[in-house]
Amino acid sequence: MLTVNCIVIVLFYLSLIIFKGNGDRIKDTMFEDIYSSLACYRRMNATHQIGCSSKRGGSTGVVHYCEQIEDLQFILKSGTAGPYIPVISTTLFKPSTVELLIKQNDKVSGLLVYNSKDFELKVDYFSHDKTCPNNEFNFHGSCKSWNPKGTGLLYADIPFPIFYVEHENDTMLIKECFTKFNNFSYPTQKDRSLCSLELDSFMYATTSTPTCKRRSNIVTNLNPIRLCDPLGDHNVWASLFPLVKGPEGQTEPIKDFDYIIIAARLDTTSLFDKTTGAESPVTGIVTLMSIAKLLKDMVGTWDENVKTNVLFILFNGETYDYIGSQRFLYDMERGKFPVDLPYDNTYLPIIYPNNVSLYIEISQLSKGARLYTHSLTETKKIANFISKLNSTSKTVPVVDIYDSLPPSSLHTFIRGKHAIEGIILANHEIEYVNHYYNSLYDIDENIEYKYQNNSDSYNNTLQQYIGDVATMVAQSVYEEIMNKKYTGSKTVDLSLINELFHCYLEDPNCKVHKAIQKAKLPKTPVSLYVGVDTVDTFISDLTSLTLAWLTGDVVGQSGPNCTNLNKDHVYKYFNMSSSMNDLDNMTCYRATVNRTEAVSPAFIIPDYDWSSNQYSSWSESSWHSLGVRMFLKPSAAHENTTIAIGSMMMVLSFTLVYFIKSRSNILFPPTILSDPPANC
Amino acid sequence: MDLAKIPNNRKLYLSRWYFRVGFLCLPIVWAINAVWFFNEAFRKPVYDEQKQIRKYVIYSTIGCLIWLILLVSWITVYQINRSAWGEFADKISFIIPLGIP
């Protein structure tokens, strides 16, 4: 008995060693997942749908790896085994190619684009936004070809799925499979087993935002499902001086402030499900933060004579027709900013558009360029401010351009009921310097940013340039609010700029983010896509905390008293590290910072007339799954044999069962009852 | 139920009730009546109740066909025009397909 047990145990371990306990299911071993694929998905506005969708359950097609456009044309003309899924490099990914594929819709069931940046074939331009981004919501007549190489593919309705493959390994996997099974004797392709792909990005919503919103809310629908969600997140704002005065607990609002708004945008987008956004918007965000920090250092605490305050605002969703600024202005015009309270409340002052005396927007910036100040008309206020910029500038030449407004949040304010005077600071004069606007190639290399680990030499770096711009803007704004030139010794902190770029572009677990909060963040850069309003993104939270840290006052030791509980919320209190180089030393910060909703007014106005096109109306479709899998599609002969054998087996089994049943008395002889039935 | 085992008057009773119930917008009951009693009405040797059963079978068939024509034409019109009708079509739908206009 013991020996039998022993044998069983030995056999068991042997089997473990031999089979290694692999429990893969057949369906999983049939497919090879392409993990680094990024989907293109569908969005809707008031009238159109844009983006891509696969068939329900995924679109499948035979792989055709194309190195040149001729390869693609060849398969469209003489492919026998269609439908195909061409795999093309980013250099081939142009509107003309996509148009060609749309025209040959019956031969193509999807498209895979691979990264040609690793392959020495770097693309010179890669921007899928329009030539005049946000054209419908810009100030009338201001549209120019700002983004001249913009393909507009981001706004095209593409009838097949498109995926982007990020890693070279995955591209190689597909190429190998293609070479082994597909890439020979094309006329006989349809008789062979072929390497194929399944692209799954089935989108639930169609047509337009009003349609999908209506269909999501039908009470008689037996299968209620949310087809789409509005795009939206939060705007982040902070003020230079507190909005209230007086001792803590007995504060009263300061109602006679004039405000200067310093703004930038917080979001970008991409045709595929990943963003980078180095030049737009990160250069703007970092510059705004450095200005905030420097100004705070320069002005110190507020004294009664200063009648001008500064609001730092980061607008979210600006890429999609100025969602954030539209909502901000909408709230402001209705007396709902910073809070939805009556004008004579005793907590906070209500700020209206006519309280804003000047609006300064930081647009895209890049190293070494001149700083262009765009504005609509040459008013005294603006000319005055530009001359201040000129006088404070040491290294960066300032060029003023009037009657010129590149796409920016300022358009929203100019189109509002009370026009606000404003300027845009940018690195471009008549067209973007950025060749990768709103695409996933707008990476740190694009702005020549390199993280300096430990150095004091920022000579001739992006950090230095951003520092110079921040200094001149901060000093000019200082002059504007204090009515005197800055004579102090505060200078911009280049290591902070260095670190902030690192936070947004490379590593979310950077020193600044560790100083402001203690949670562990993902390893990959945080997405700068605005996302849908039902899901909060990290970025607006982190940005508001960073702004609080940069503009807050230190009010003593950190501890349980440093809290917003039982206080009237005119300030916010945060336990944060006192310096990014001394993370363990915690202090209590008090800041006037908050987030406001950045969801288009179109979604909150009851019975909004979608055809008016007054506000941004973008929404994003829901989906069940996104993914790409590779598999070997059997040849037609193989498939036919399988179905023939199956059918024959079925017929055979029916016949067999029939005969067995008709002769069941032979197989199961009837039992003869020994006792006759009882007489009832 | 095996029709062979029930008396003729019972068959007539059944067929009549199936015909009547069909008026409650239940064309499928008429269809069952027509199929189930077809042999009784047309292929069995003559008996007293057969004439009446035949009447009910014929009427049921006609009713059922009218329903069929109406349903097919409505479904065709609805499916073709669903996306064009917009809000109205969504309101009268119990199931809205995903991913198509």
Side-chain angles (χ1 to χ4, degrees):
Chain A
M1 196 62 200
L2 201 68
T3 48
V4 174
N5 272 350
C6 276
I7 291 167
V8 168
I9 289 167
V10 167
L11 277 177
F12 176 72
Y13 279 103
L14 261 179
S15 72
L16 275 188
I17 292 161
I18 294 166
F19 300 111
K20 287 192 180 153
N22 269 348
D24 285 351
R25 300 175 65 176
I26 291 179
K27 82 169 175 50
D28 294 331
T29 50
M30 275 162 60
F31 292 101
E32 183 85 55
D33 280 299
I34 308 294
Y35 288 108
S36 72
S37 59
L38 305 171
C40 150
Y41 42 83
R42 186 176 280 164
R43 296 185 189 93
M44 278 86 35
N45 69 4
T47 48
H48 289 82
Q49 64 177 34
I50 60 163
C52 328
S53 171
S54 75
K55 285 186 195 138
R56 197 167 193 164
S59 303
T60 56
V62 177
V63 177
H64 191 73
Y65 191 90
C66 309
E67 254 146 20
Q68 280 128 22
I69 191 76
E70 286 76 31
D71 297 340
L72 186 63
Q73 281 157 348
F74 165 75
I75 206 70
L76 290 177
K77 199 160 160 259
S78 45
T80 54
Y84 287 91
I85 292 184
V87 182
I88 63 172
S89 74
T90 42
T91 38
L92 289 183
F93 186 61
K94 295 177 212 154
S96 57
T97 316
V98 176
E99 262 164 44
L100 177 73
L101 295 178
I102 291 176
K103 238 180 261 165
Q104 302 257 8
N105 211 351
D106 51 332
K107 290 210 163 175
V108 175
S109 57
L111 180 64
L112 218 61
V113 183
Y114 64 84
N115 185 0
S116 62
K117 228 176 175 186
D118 305 339
F119 292 71
E120 297 174 0
L121 279 162
K122 194 178 161 219
V123 282
D124 291 333
Y125 289 91
F126 202 67
S127 172
H128 304 301
D129 213 308
K130 290 177 274 200
T131 48
C132 177
N134 297 8
N135 55 346
E136 285 179 44
F137 289 86
N138 285 343
F139 182 70
H140 189 70
S142 68
C143 250
K144 285 183 199 160
S145 185
W146 296 107
N147 186 27
K149 296 289 168 85
T151 62
L153 275 178
L154 185 58
Y155 293 91
D157 181 24
I158 299 163
F160 47 78
I162 304 182
F163 277 80
Y164 176 83
V165 181
E166 222 186 346
H167 294 159
E168 201 184 332
N169 293 352
D170 283 341
T171 316
M172 282 301 138
L173 209 67
I174 297 170
K175 195 179 176 183
E176 265 168 36
C177 182
F178 166 74
T179 322
K180 197 169 163 196
F181 295 100
N182 299 12
N183 193 18
F184 53 90
S185 100
Y186 280 90
T188 63
Q189 237 194 3
K190 67 174 189 302
D191 306 322
R192 296 202 306 267
S193 296
L194 295 169
C195 188
S196 302
L197 282 167
E198 182 195 271
L199 312 184
D200 182 15
S201 61
F202 177 64
M203 295 291 137
Y204 289 174
T206 55
T207 321
S208 64
T209 298
T211 304
C212 81
K213 258 186 78 73
R214 186 180 70 224
R215 289 183 179 172
S216 305
N217 294 321
I218 287 179
V219 278
T220 52
N221 196 344
L222 293 179
N223 182 23
I225 195 166
R226 244 168 121 96
L227 300 174
C228 65
D229 294 291
L231 293 189
D233 193 3
H234 287 93
N235 298 322
V236 176
W237 67 271
S239 72
L240 180 64
F241 300 117
L243 302 177
V244 294
K245 59 185 171 187
E248 215 160 300
Q250 300 154 28
T251 54
E252 52 175 304
I254 308 171
K255 290 194 172 168
D256 54 351
F257 266 143
D258 253 352
Y259 292 89
I260 294 176
I261 291 181
I262 300 181
R265 69 168 59 180
L266 191 56
D267 73 308
T268 176
T269 189
S270 155
L271 181 57
F272 306 106
D273 191 10
K274 184 188 174 182
T275 65
T276 46
E279 187 159 339
S280 168
V282 173
T283 50
I285 300 173
V286 173
T287 312
L288 180 134
M289 286 182 166
S290 334
I291 295 170
K293 171 75 179 154
L294 182 58
L295 256 179
K296 181 76 197 172
D297 288 348
M298 283 156 75
V299 298
T301 48
W302 178 68
D303 81 80
E304 298 262 351
N305 303 323
V306 179
K307 294 292 176 208
T308 309
N309 199 346
V310 179
L311 290 178
F312 302 100
I313 311 177
L314 287 156
F315 292 115
N316 214 335
E318 296 301 278
T319 310
Y320 287 96
D321 294 341
Y322 309 127
I323 297 171
S325 55
Q326 281 184 354
R327 177 61 183 277
F328 184 83
L329 185 67
Y330 178 87
D331 287 346
M332 222 181 186
E333 282 175 346
R334 281 155 188 77
K336 291 180 183 174
F337 179 80
V339 278
D340 189 3
L341 285 175
Y343 181 75
D344 50 4
N345 77 81
T346 54
Y347 300 101
L348 282 166
I350 303 297
I351 304 169
Y352 289 90
N354 55 4
N355 300 129
V356 179
S357 60
L358 184 62
Y359 175 95
I360 304 158
E361 179 161 347
I362 323 283
S363 182
Q364 306 173 55
L365 296 175
S366 57
K367 192 183 110 187
R370 288 189 266 188
L371 187 72
Y372 295 94
T373 61
H374 297 266
S375 60
L376 193 60
T377 46
E378 183 174 3
T379 61
K380 213 175 136 197
K381 184 109 198 162
I382 289 171
N384 200 354
F385 185 76
I386 292 173
S387 74
K388 279 178 190 143
L389 278 178
N390 257 315
S391 67
T392 50
S393 155
K394 292 197 182 75
T395 52
V396 185
V398 179
V399 183
D400 52 346
I401 310 172
Y402 294 103
D403 198 16
S404 161
L405 278 187
S408 57
S409 316
L410 180 55
H411 287 272
T412 307
F413 293 98
I414 288 179
R415 282 158 45 104
K417 283 178 198 150
H418 177 93
I420 292 175
E421 284 178 54
I423 60 168
I424 300 159
L425 309 181
N427 60 357
H428 47 270
E429 185 182 4
I430 48 168
E431 59 184 53
Y432 288 169
V433 178
N434 188 357
H435 292 184
Y436 307 110
Y437 179 72
N438 282 353
S439 84
L440 38 71
Y441 286 171
D442 189 2
I443 53 173
D444 41 13
E445 279 168 40
N446 187 32
I447 50 170
E448 295 174 48
Y449 165 72
K450 241 184 130 192
Y451 181 58
Q452 311 272 5
N453 242 337
N454 51 335
S455 79
D456 314 307
S457 103
Y458 288 107
N459 271 340
N460 201 21
T461 57
L462 176 77
Q463 290 88 322
Q464 168 97 55
Y465 177 81
I466 296 291
D468 289 346
V469 173
T471 308
M472 60 197 258
V473 176
Q475 289 186 354
S476 308
V477 172
Y478 179 89
E479 217 180 312
E480 196 78 30
I481 54 181
M482 298 299 204
N483 294 317
K484 60 178 182 194
K485 278 207 184 302
Y486 180 67
T487 48
S489 58
K490 299 284 188 207
T491 51
V492 71
D493 182 0
L494 293 182
S495 63
L496 176 74
I497 296 174
N498 182 40
E499 201 62 40
L500 282 172
F501 271 113
H502 188 54
C503 294
Y504 283 96
L505 295 178
E506 291 162 358
D507 181 16
N509 292 296
C510 58
K511 283 192 248 170
V512 172
H513 287 171
K514 279 182 182 157
I516 57 170
Q517 51 92 52
K518 298 299 162 204
K520 196 121 183 79
L521 295 164
K523 284 194 181 114
T524 48
V526 179
S527 170
L528 292 166
Y529 170 55
V530 58
V532 293
D533 66 338
T534 46
V535 183
D536 257 6
T537 52
F538 282 121
I539 201 71
S540 64
D541 272 329
L542 287 172
T543 306
S544 74
L545 288 174
T546 313
L547 262 185
W549 188 59
L550 296 174
T551 61
D553 294 306
V554 175
V555 289
Q557 287 298 307
S558 106
N561 284 337
C562 186
T563 166
N564 296 310
L565 280 178
N566 305 325
K567 290 177 188 163
D568 52 13
H569 297 276
V570 294
Y571 297 113
K572 285 201 167 188
Y573 295 84
F574 302 97
N575 284 305
M576 289 170 173
S577 307
S578 56
S579 151
M580 65 180 181
N581 295 318
D582 187 8
L583 296 175
D584 293 332
N585 188 2
M586 303 292 281
T587 337
C588 186
Y589 282 87
R590 184 184 73 185
T592 307
V593 68
N594 213 337
R595 306 189 310 161
T596 63
E597 227 177 292
V599 176
S600 167
F603 293 97
I604 57 163
I605 299 172
D607 300 322
Y608 172 72
D609 177 16
W610 293 98
S611 61
S612 70
N613 213 19
Q614 198 185 351
Y615 297 110
S616 167
S617 54
W618 289 105
S619 65
E620 184 186 295
S621 170
S622 323
W623 61 78
H624 178 257
S625 56
L626 297 174
V628 175
R629 303 194 291 183
M630 189 167 64
F631 63 100
L632 201 62
K633 187 170 89 93
S635 66
H638 187 158
E639 283 179 322
N640 292 343
T641 318
T642 312
I643 195 142
I645 291 175
S647 317
M648 271 157 59
M649 284 300 291
M650 195 176 75
V651 171
L652 201 73
S653 59
F654 273 126
T655 328
L656 201 68
V657 168
Y658 174 78
F659 277 110
I660 290 172
K661 202 180 170 206
S662 62
R663 285 160 179 70
S664 59
N665 54 344
I666 304 171
L667 281 170
F668 310 105
T671 46
I672 293 144
L673 296 171
S674 49
D675 294 329
N679 192 358
C680 304
Chain B
M1 199 188 290
D2 191 351
L3 281 184
K5 288 178 186 164
I6 55 172
N8 289 340
N9 60 346
R10 186 79 192 155
K11 286 179 199 162
L12 176 61
Y13 172 83
L14 270 175
S15 177
R16 184 189 292 135
W17 270 105
Y18 266 74
F19 177 66
R20 284 174 185 168
V21 170
F23 279 104
L24 304 172
C25 299
L26 294 169
I28 194 78
V29 175
W30 279 341
I32 291 167
N33 199 16
V35 172
W36 197 20
F37 287 97
F38 181 80
N39 279 344
E40 291 295 329
F42 293 104
R43 295 169 76 176
K44 284 278 163 72
V46 181
Y47 56 92
D48 283 352
E49 292 86 352
Q50 196 185 34
K51 210 173 166 193
Q52 285 196 64
I53 292 180
R54 188 177 295 173
K55 185 178 80 186
Y56 290 128
V57 168
I58 289 172
Y59 287 166
S60 294
T61 315
I62 293 170
C64 186
L65 282 178
I66 291 171
W67 264 97
L68 194 70
I69 292 163
L70 287 179
L71 279 179
V72 167
S73 36
W74 164 247
I75 290 166
T76 316
V77 169
Y78 168 78
Q79 291 295 350
I80 289 173
N81 294 302
R82 193 180 55 80
S83 64
W85 285 345
E87 189 172 356
F88 169 69
D90 288 347
K91 274 190 181 154
I92 60 168
S93 299
F94 282 113
I95 291 167
I96 295 169
L98 298 176
I100 56 172

